[in-house]
Each structure stands twice: as C-alpha cells, then as structure tokens.
Amino acid sequence: MTPSTTSAQIRHYLDLTQEELSYYLGVSRARVADAEAGRAAVPRSYTYDAQMRLNYLFFLLPMAEVSTFSKPSVSTADVPPMPPLPLPPPAVPLTATELKEVDWQLRTARTKALVLRLNLDQRTAQAAYHTLVQAHRQALLAAFEAPTSAALSLREVCPDEKPTNTQYLVDLLKRRAADTEWPTPSLTPLALTRDRLRLHLLETEAATLAAWLGE
C-alpha cells in the first residue's frame, strides 16, 4: 500500500477533504492532490513530517476496514414512501424541550397559513375579476360586430357623432382581449394552485403538530 493510496483511503474513511487532510499533514492541498494522483515529483510523496503524521493515523485506524470502506449509495428506491398525512407522532415521547419546539413550530405554521389564506383569497378574487372582465370585453367586441336590434334602432335615431372615439374603444378592447398575460404573475392559475398546495401543507402541518401536542 503506497502512501498516496493510504492517504486517499484514510480521507475517504474519515470523510475529509484534501484541504482538511493537508492542514493536518502540514502540506499544501496541491501536494495531497498530486500525491494521491501519483504526480509527486519524488518517490516520497510527502515530507518526512507529513508522512509520520499520516503513519500515525495509519496505526490508529483499523486499516482492514479502511481499505474496504465505501460510501453508501442512496437511490430513490432506498427511500421508503411517506405515509399519508397527517403523520403519526414520534414513537418516543417528546421531551419538555422538544414540546416547546413543536409548540413554536405549530404557532409559526398557523400564522403562515393564516397570512397565506388571506392573501390567496384576495388574489383568487382578483383573478376571478380579471377573467370576468375579459369575458365582458369579448362579449362587447362581438356586440360591436353584430349590434342588437335595439342598438341599431338607437343609431338610426342618434348617429355616432364621434366614430373615431368608438374605433379607439374597439381597438383598445381588442388589444386587451387578445392579451393572454395576467395583470401580475401572482394571479396566474399556476401561481394560485401552487399557493393552494402550500396552504394545504401548512394547515396539514399545523393540524399534525396540534395532534402531537394533544390540542
């Protein structure tokens, strides 16, 4: 086993960066990198003092275990699916400190949920108003194209004295009716649905924590 191999395995075993190990050894990080990559310019990868410090770790650690140690690989298949909400309380009774923490989290979740609900109610009303106004614009444009009999009769009695003004209104309505952008990004169906999800999670969290506290 070469010093460079030992160095890399010890780092891996202790989850150290090259920078952290280099500080312990008293050499530069580049020296550690070069040694582990086999780029050392001299047969001895490290200085004498650094090698002695590395040897010290070598004698402290179970090298048979170090040489075979590997980091765990986690895939989504290894993560168990979450149970349905709300989650059951922990199997171990909560300590007084943990109960205080849960109580604080409960109050925080309730406050956030209340603020979000008020905001969401207001934005939902604004979005509904915008949708309704767009429908009104479309209906008025259609009426301009095909006036009702009552409107035609009125025009026979009172001709349009300012047709350019009428055309201005028609053009304005056409532009706005054709505009698919919402007044603000927060009123889009996606934004509202996403915040409804956030609200659901906050209220579920609050209900779960309240159940844990026996409220």
Side-chain angles (χ1 to χ4, degrees):
M1 181 181 295
T2 65
S4 59
T5 303
T6 304
S7 167
Q9 289 178 334
I10 287 177
R11 277 200 317 102
H12 183 59
Y13 186 78
L14 298 176
D15 195 20
L16 298 175
T17 65
Q18 289 182 339
E19 181 114 20
E20 290 165 339
L21 182 63
S22 70
Y23 185 82
Y24 167 76
L25 297 178
V27 297
S28 67
R29 188 206 63 80
R31 185 66 178 267
V32 174
D34 287 343
E36 293 184 358
R39 293 192 298 265
V42 294
R44 180 178 294 162
S45 301
Y46 294 117
T47 64
Y48 178 81
D49 288 341
Q51 186 61 56
M52 290 304 100
R53 296 180 71 82
L54 188 63
N55 289 347
Y56 182 70
L57 291 182
F58 178 89
F59 293 124
L60 287 179
L61 300 173
M63 286 311 299
E65 183 175 313
V66 170
S67 61
T68 59
F69 181 78
S70 62
K71 290 184 179 180
S73 59
V74 179
S75 67
T76 54
D78 299 322
V79 180
M82 291 291 290
L85 296 174
L87 299 179
V92 180
L94 301 179
T95 65
T97 301
E98 290 173 333
L99 287 172
K100 289 182 179 179
E101 181 180 351
V102 170
D103 180 69
W104 177 82
Q105 292 174 337
L106 169 60
R107 287 185 280 110
T108 300
R110 281 175 172 170
T111 300
K112 288 182 177 180
L114 177 61
V115 172
L116 181 56
R117 177 170 286 282
L118 293 175
N119 177 268
L120 189 55
D121 287 346
Q122 182 183 42
R123 286 161 49 210
T124 300
Q126 291 174 342
Y129 173 74
H130 173 72
T131 301
L132 186 61
V133 167
Q134 283 291 68
H136 293 170
R137 289 168 178 164
Q138 295 284 4
L140 183 54
L141 285 171
F144 272 119
E145 292 292 333
T148 63
S149 57
L152 290 174
S153 298
L154 178 62
R155 271 289 169 259
E156 289 178 0
V157 177
C158 301
D160 188 358
E161 298 294 337
K162 295 183 178 180
T164 55
N165 291 20
T166 300
Q167 190 59 45
Y168 164 79
L169 177 59
V170 170
D171 291 342
L172 178 65
L173 292 174
K174 284 182 177 178
R175 289 196 304 272
R176 292 186 176 174
D179 186 6
T180 58
E181 295 292 329
W182 290 82
T184 65
S186 65
L187 298 183
T188 64
L190 174 60
L192 293 174
T193 302
R194 186 174 58 238
D195 279 349
R196 290 190 191 103
L197 172 61
R198 289 179 55 214
L199 178 62
H200 170 71
L201 295 176
L202 282 170
E203 291 182 339
T204 301
E205 177 185 359
T208 299
L209 296 176
W212 290 5
L213 294 174
E215 293 188 6

